[in-house]
Amino acid sequence: MRRAALVAIGTVAGLAGVLSYSDGSVPVPIGLAASLPSTEPSDPTSVTAAPSSTPSIASRPSTASPSPTRSPLRRSSSSASPSSVPTAAPEPSTKPARTQRPSASATARPAPSPSPTRTRTPKPTPTPTPSTSSPQPGGDGEYRGTAVAHRYGTVQVAIAVQNGTIVSAWAVVYPTGSSTPYSQLAIPKLSAETVGATSANVTRVSGATLTSNAWNTSLAAAMTKAGLLP
Amino acid sequence: MSVGSRPGLGTDGLVSYAGPGDWQQRMHVEPVWGTHVVLDVRAPELPPDVDDLLAEAVSFLHQVDAWFSTYRADTPITMYRNGLIELERTPSIVQSVLEACAGAKQLTDGVFDPWAVPGGVDPSGYVKGWAAGVAADMLHDAGIPNVCVDASGDIAVHGRMSADEEWAVGITNPYDTQSVIRVVHLPDGTAMATSGLYERGEHIRDTSGGTSVHYDSATVVGPDAGLADALATACLVEGPRCNRWFVGLDEWSVYLVKDGRAEFFGPAFL
């Protein structure tokens, strides 16, 4: 039963915030009800099968992006001069109204003007091939959700399960033919996992200020000891 | 680094430093803004004037203090807060940062609000991340391909950590600050900020009146360091509904921790 729920959730929620679990905890995506697009009118004309080798298409960096992601701040900052100024990142026109439902805000949102996006190294996400076979409910394997129609087309998401945990989710059917990628119109879904300490091979840590400062201070002390800092 | 553990959490919390591999590396730690900023530059071959470039970036960090410190009486921001000068008379960079803060306020439905603090507008919640991003851009634009600037947890990167790996940054465990709970690989040109109250009490003021926050820790990854800084604070306060701010922001990722559970979305956490 829980398995079925996972499939259904993956169907509608998988595109925006693809479920990715790395531990053995019970995966319970949260915050789903607020943004289910399944009640939207259908547009069956724009359905096509996704390449099976493309996991979580919608969560990939898109080629169109509204201004906040491309603030002049990071482009114009090659010098410290006052001319290298940042500007307000988000435009009012792209701001969804607070009271709107997620689907309504999606429709009210103007199509973002295309802007260049950095090439991104894809994350090494597991990419199992979607299978048409039906694994035993509750067992390891790949599960396909039902196709769900909404305003911008139809979406069907598949998940791969190992040891009761979703290890990958991807779209097998997603809308095409629109100038606006589907992912532009989805509110990111929150996935969940249990927090636990992990081994890490890192250059830096990001935490509340004092912790990070402690890391940096400690680093400075070590470097001083090593003769790397005056 | 000591190994931290806590009942209910994993015991495997070893944190180790990831070096540059075969690349050359130069690291500088600068005391500024009452904290430490780390500049970490790496390349197969660093430019011969790398120390000069680092010095320029460091001088920018101190210039930021001279523009934006609210602890000094002689800065434009303090003079503006005290009504001694008009906004139009402040340096244009101060005006621009305040405009960016206004944008972040609008994006977050007013949850991030530098104007709601006592004593007048205080853009500190944006400036630290922003300055880290600018410093990283300066070094990168000067010809250093791989740069990481860490302003006490507000981190901005260019390039990669090593030939084999993108910049790897740990998210501090809010329940045990000696360990990390997640490693994030930051793509070229992105930034990361974490906000939390777990160590210094309520230094974030909820603009709706109280001082309560929803999460124990909030981390935001995205292509704009200043906005990441502001959004981390806003998400910490707002709770799960913060995801509505990220509609269309496909490059942004969020990792939120509460009561030993994490909620997350975005490409950085796939």
Side-chain angles (χ1 to χ4, degrees):
Chain A
M1 189 57 203
R2 187 167 69 77
R3 193 68 51 197
L6 282 178
V7 172
I9 287 167
T11 299
V12 293
L15 281 183
V18 169
L19 315 161
S20 178
Y21 300 95
S22 56
D23 62 8
S25 64
V26 178
V28 183
I30 51 182
L32 291 165
S35 47
L36 296 181
S38 55
T39 57
E40 295 293 332
S42 133
D43 176 11
T45 61
S46 57
V47 177
T48 212
S52 60
S53 62
T54 308
S56 59
I57 295 136
S59 60
R60 290 279 168 250
S62 69
T63 53
S65 192
S67 58
T69 66
R70 297 294 304 159
S71 163
L73 204 154
R74 292 192 64 86
R75 279 201 302 275
S76 62
S77 51
S78 57
S79 83
S81 72
S83 64
S84 63
V85 294
T87 59
E91 289 300 319
S93 60
T94 61
K95 185 72 199 71
R98 176 171 211 141
T99 55
Q100 285 176 316
R101 300 304 305 158
S103 59
S105 63
T107 54
R109 186 186 187 80
S113 54
S115 64
T117 305
R118 282 188 189 87
T119 304
R120 189 66 60 82
T121 305
K123 291 280 179 268
T125 308
T127 58
T129 306
S131 162
T132 52
S133 65
S134 299
Q136 284 283 71
D140 290 354
E142 290 160 10
Y143 297 82
R144 237 179 233 214
T146 52
V148 175
H150 66 111
R151 185 182 300 278
Y152 303 100
T154 300
V155 177
Q156 185 176 22
V157 174
I159 59 171
V161 175
Q162 284 177 11
N163 301 323
T165 300
I166 297 177
V167 295
S168 183
W170 65 99
V172 292
V173 176
Y174 64 102
T176 59
S178 167
S179 59
T180 308
Y182 171 83
S183 58
Q184 292 283 336
L185 305 164
I187 288 188
K189 301 296 179 299
L190 291 166
S191 304
E193 67 185 10
T194 301
V195 166
T198 182
S199 292
N201 194 31
V202 299
T203 51
R204 314 244 57 86
V205 293
S206 180
T209 304
L210 290 189
T211 299
S212 301
N213 191 37
W215 172 280
N216 286 359
T217 305
S218 172
L219 174 68
M223 290 177 67
T224 304
K225 271 186 191 168
L228 298 172
L229 286 176
Chain B
M1 179 71 62
S2 66
V3 178
S5 65
R6 182 186 170 89
L9 298 176
T11 55
D12 184 16
L14 207 54
V15 177
S16 55
Y17 178 74
D22 294 336
W23 287 357
Q24 296 178 356
Q25 178 189 23
R26 193 76 108 246
M27 191 150 43
H28 179 83
V29 186
E30 182 69 14
V32 62
W33 315 335
T35 182
H36 285 82
V37 177
V38 178
L39 310 172
D40 184 343
V41 296
R42 306 172 176 203
E45 188 168 359
L46 288 170
D49 60 343
V50 59
D51 288 329
D52 294 337
L53 301 177
L54 288 170
E56 286 177 24
V58 164
S59 110
F60 168 76
L61 301 179
H62 288 280
Q63 180 61 54
V64 167
D65 197 56
W67 279 320
F68 291 104
S69 174
T70 56
Y71 295 94
R72 290 168 50 173
D74 61 342
T75 62
I77 195 70
T78 298
M79 295 172 73
Y80 174 59
R81 282 157 58 95
N82 293 339
L84 297 175
I85 52 172
E86 302 289 317
L87 182 61
E88 295 71 30
R89 300 289 300 277
T90 62
S92 62
I93 199 162
V94 173
Q95 300 177 39
S96 300
V97 163
L98 290 178
E99 284 174 21
C101 287
K105 177 182 176 180
Q106 191 158 33
L107 180 71
T108 59
D109 299 321
V111 174
F112 173 79
D113 189 353
W115 287 267
V117 295
V121 59
D122 183 355
S124 302
Y126 178 90
V127 164
K128 192 153 70 78
W130 165 77
V134 174
D137 289 350
M138 288 174 66
L139 292 164
H140 180 255
D141 294 348
I144 301 174
N146 307 291
V147 179
C148 177
V149 175
D150 176 359
S152 285
D154 288 314
I155 295 168
V157 305
H158 280 286
R160 306 168 64 80
M161 179 172 76
S162 66
D164 306 325
E165 195 174 358
E166 292 181 313
W167 286 104
V169 178
I171 298 176
T172 301
N173 185 348
Y175 312 110
D176 175 4
T177 56
Q178 294 299 300
S179 65
V180 303
I181 52 174
R182 189 77 189 236
V183 178
V184 183
H185 284 92
L186 296 179
D188 180 20
T190 57
M192 173 170 172
T194 297
S195 195
L197 300 184
Y198 46 86
E199 60 186 10
R200 56 160 43 175
E202 296 175 338
H203 80 294
I204 293 172
R205 187 180 167 87
D206 183 347
T207 57
S208 64
T211 53
S212 63
V213 300
H214 184 84
Y215 289 112
D216 298 324
S217 163
T219 297
V220 173
V221 178
D224 182 321
L227 194 56
D229 193 1
L231 284 171
T233 303
C235 290
L236 186 80
V237 172
E238 179 67 2
R241 291 188 67 234
C242 67
N243 62 350
R244 72 190 188 277
W245 301 330
F246 293 85
V247 170
L249 306 188
D250 295 348
E251 294 180 281
W252 291 78
S253 304
V254 173
Y255 197 86
L256 310 154
V257 179
K258 181 180 177 62
D259 299 334
R261 298 276 295 169
E263 305 168 358
F264 58 94
F265 60 80
F269 300 110
L270 290 184

